[in-house]
Amino acid sequence: MGEFELIRRYFAAAACAQAAPGVALGIGDDCALLEVPAGERLAISTDTMVAGVHFPAPCDPFLLGQRALAAAASDLAAMGATPLGFTLALTLPAADPAWLAAFARGLDHKARECGLALIGGDTTRGPLCISLSVFGRVPAGLALCRNGARPGDLLCVGGPLGDAAGALELVLDRRQAPAEVASPLLARYWSPRPQLSLGVALRGRASAALDISDGLLADCGHIASASGVALCIERRRVPLSVPLRRLLGEEAALACALGGGDDYLLAFTLPPRFLAALQAEWPLRVIGRVEAGTGVHLLDDAGREVAPPVGGYQHFGSPRD
Ligand code: ADP
Ligand code: MG
């Protein structure tokens, strides 16, 4: 199978690569053409996943396709952007039809769930590597940047944290668990749900936002430094799922939530007046507040600063690109 046959069969033929709103020209020419309405900005982000670094190799290609798409789409959620399309730069050791069919199905499934059209890409031979660029649109002035947090704002997250880092123990066969514990955690690892509609709802409300990909503490550090403020996180308010607690116990679950990556949930700062309306619609959790100062501070039940309990779990928290 040649390169063009491969592109045609597995990608150009996918449902997500057919005509879509906002796509004036899709796969097949030198560039795709996107429509960006007047008064809107194009939001662009690229995410690369390398075999053995960002996912275990070998792994299930359907799940890999889903996860790669979800991780890339999460950056659009974090900017409050409405998804338009994505390109796929795929480097493959070999053109294995079964692998390609399953990968393309996983990618297509998640792309349609996220409302992202496949508009182009690049296909090369080499060690397995998947690079996705996503494109979205957001009204001028309403993108959710990292630099707007102000003292007095609340610090919120979009759901329970640490599940993906906990699931990594299962993915890497370091730990076994009964299905009722393992299944929901593995689903969070292999099929993250980018919080795209929450991102849109935060336009004009959140003062700063990002998606948590490298762990809560590290990512909050980005908001703190970009905004020139301190973020204070109350340890007992960090939401942990029941399956994660059952897998690891309370302390290690908290370590995953604070230091583990790959959750792809939003963290954002919010002037308190917006909280009630948002909480009526979204399962948000307030985990702390913005103060004058610098850095990220973890507080115990008495409000005293404590060291983050990441000792045994640093391999989850070690920053990757
Ligand atoms: P060029 O040489 O002009 O860069 P290519 O020959 O690499 O174009 O690709 C031909 C067309 O197929 C282009 O429209 C490109 O965007 C698209 N394409 C290439 N690889 C992929 C892929 N993996 N998924 C989707 N579209 C792809
Ligand atoms: Mg060209």
Side-chain angles (χ1 to χ4, degrees):
M1 177 172 33
E3 178 190 332
F4 298 108
E5 174 61 8
L6 185 162
I7 295 165
R8 191 189 60 73
R9 192 184 300 177
Y10 298 104
F11 299 111
C16 66
Q18 309 314 308
V23 180
L25 183 64
I27 294 176
D29 218 307
D30 295 303
C31 287
L33 299 173
L34 293 178
E35 286 158 7
V36 184
E40 303 210 13
R41 299 287 179 260
L42 193 58
I44 301 173
S45 164
T46 298
D47 257 322
T48 299
M49 286 193 175
V50 178
V53 178
H54 300 91
F55 57 90
C59 68
D60 180 321
F62 176 87
L63 297 175
L64 180 61
Q66 276 195 163
R67 182 161 176 263
L69 194 287
S74 178
D75 283 322
L76 294 177
M79 286 312 270
T82 300
L84 279 172
F86 72 104
T87 58
L88 167 67
L90 187 57
T91 305
L92 291 171
D96 171 353
W99 192 96
L100 277 160
F103 174 79
R105 267 194 299 115
L107 190 84
D108 182 63
H109 174 75
K110 209 53 167 185
R112 287 189 288 146
E113 186 182 298
C114 292
L116 275 168
L118 177 56
I119 58 169
D122 197 21
T123 306
T124 50
R125 186 189 292 265
L128 180 60
C129 175
I130 302 156
S131 187
L132 273 71
S133 293
V134 291
F135 303 85
R137 57 186 174 79
V138 61
L142 291 186
L144 308 174
C145 299
R146 298 179 176 191
N147 62 359
R150 294 293 170 262
D153 290 348
L154 302 170
L155 175 62
C156 306
V157 291
L161 303 177
D163 283 0
L168 196 56
E169 293 278 279
L170 303 167
V171 170
L172 299 177
D173 266 335
R174 288 197 197 124
R175 209 179 268 261
Q176 311 291 309
E180 72 269 21
V181 170
S183 305
L185 297 176
L186 288 169
R188 290 289 306 278
Y189 179 86
W190 285 117
S191 182
R193 296 181 149 262
Q195 298 193 294
L196 289 156
S197 29
L198 174 59
V200 170
L202 293 177
R203 286 178 190 164
R205 292 167 162 170
S207 49
L210 46 62
D211 64 320
I212 303 171
S213 54
D214 290 332
L216 179 70
L217 294 176
D219 286 318
C220 282
H222 298 315
I223 292 183
S225 59
S227 297
V229 296
L231 296 189
C232 299
I233 298 173
E234 292 175 56
R235 189 171 60 177
R236 70 184 163 83
R237 299 178 88 175
V238 174
L240 304 171
S241 75
V242 171
L244 184 67
R245 288 185 159 120
R246 282 191 53 194
L247 180 73
L248 298 178
E250 199 74 23
E251 273 305 300
L254 181 65
C256 276
L258 296 172
D262 296 334
D263 275 320
Y264 302 112
L265 295 172
L266 300 188
F268 53 94
T269 57
L270 190 73
R273 67 182 184 281
F274 295 126
L275 182 65
L278 283 170
Q279 255 179 339
E281 226 182 313
W282 308 96
L284 313 177
R285 301 292 287 268
V286 178
I287 60 164
R289 61 187 182 276
V290 182
E291 292 189 355
T294 57
V296 179
H297 307 273
L298 189 64
L299 308 179
D300 68 9
D301 295 358
R304 286 182 301 249
E305 181 157 4
V306 289
V310 289
Y313 282 84
Q314 277 195 17
H315 46 286
F316 295 136
S318 60
R320 293 163 303 169
D321 293 329

